[in-house]
Amino acid sequence: MPITDLVRVYLPATLPMLAELKAAGRLGDGASVAHAVTPGLREWYAEGDEEELEYVAFTRAAQASLSLLRADPDAPRRRVVVSADVPATALVREGGELGSSTVGLPQPVSLKEVAAIHVDAPEAAEDIAAAVDVVEEAQAGDEDAQFTVDGAEDHELAWYVVGELDDLL
């Protein structure tokens, strides 16, 4: 398949989800939401180059990871984003709102499609935990909660190759 037929997607995840990826060889249940450079995102950030657009999609996946952590109280408080290259035909465009980066993945992402894994350093856990506690309030417009979430976003996620998955777990 030519490279032009592939799209980089950013899947929000958690460390337990990475364990599932390793065990099953795939991530997602066939109804996953991811982020990518979509036409709506391109139009909204007309001045942005490809790298800037990918960073926006990546950042939104990291934000979505906070909600996944809130849903799993036993997961270590570290955001995870899985970058994968999937066939363009595998994506379902979610909504068409201007600026949206959301895409649907109706099939799981296989381990061979994963390009990289991004995880917060252990030192970020306290700030991430605080953000997880208020992420819903921030999404509802609470400015104090948004300040806490923004503090978590000050932490850069570390980059790992797929071969380092065992080390992460």
Side-chain angles (χ1 to χ4, degrees):
M1 177 179 309
I3 288 181
T4 56
D5 292 338
L6 297 177
V7 174
R8 173 68 50 98
V9 296
Y10 304 95
L11 291 99
T14 63
L15 287 171
M17 291 171 73
L18 287 183
E20 292 174 24
L21 171 64
K22 182 180 186 287
R26 64 178 196 262
L27 181 64
D29 59 6
S32 299
V33 174
H35 293 271
V37 177
T38 63
L41 184 63
R42 251 183 234 294
E43 188 175 341
W44 183 257
Y45 291 94
E47 299 296 318
D49 64 22
E50 194 68 19
E51 187 173 315
E52 290 170 319
L53 295 171
E54 287 180 0
Y55 185 75
V56 169
F58 173 85
T59 300
R60 290 179 179 171
Q63 292 167 348
S65 179
L66 292 173
S67 295
L68 293 175
L69 288 168
R70 183 161 179 131
D72 185 354
D74 296 327
R77 292 333 203 198
R78 295 167 65 193
R79 295 169 299 164
V80 175
V81 174
V82 175
S83 298
D85 297 319
V86 301
T89 56
L91 297 180
V92 176
R93 304 287 178 204
E94 300 283 323
E97 301 92 38
L98 192 59
S100 175
S101 63
T102 305
V103 295
L105 291 169
Q107 297 179 18
V109 170
S110 72
L111 188 56
K112 70 178 182 169
E113 292 173 312
V114 174
I117 301 165
H118 313 270
V119 181
D120 273 312
E123 301 82 45
E126 186 176 322
D127 288 339
I128 301 306
V132 167
D133 289 343
V134 298
V135 67
E136 290 177 357
E137 292 85 348
Q139 291 169 342
D142 182 303
E143 291 182 15
D144 290 333
Q146 187 60 53
F147 182 79
T148 300
V149 170
D150 290 345
E153 292 175 2
D154 288 341
H155 295 278
E156 292 290 326
L157 280 75
W159 179 90
Y160 298 89
V161 296
V162 177
E164 295 176 291
L165 186 54
D166 288 335
D167 297 333
L168 283 170
L169 300 174

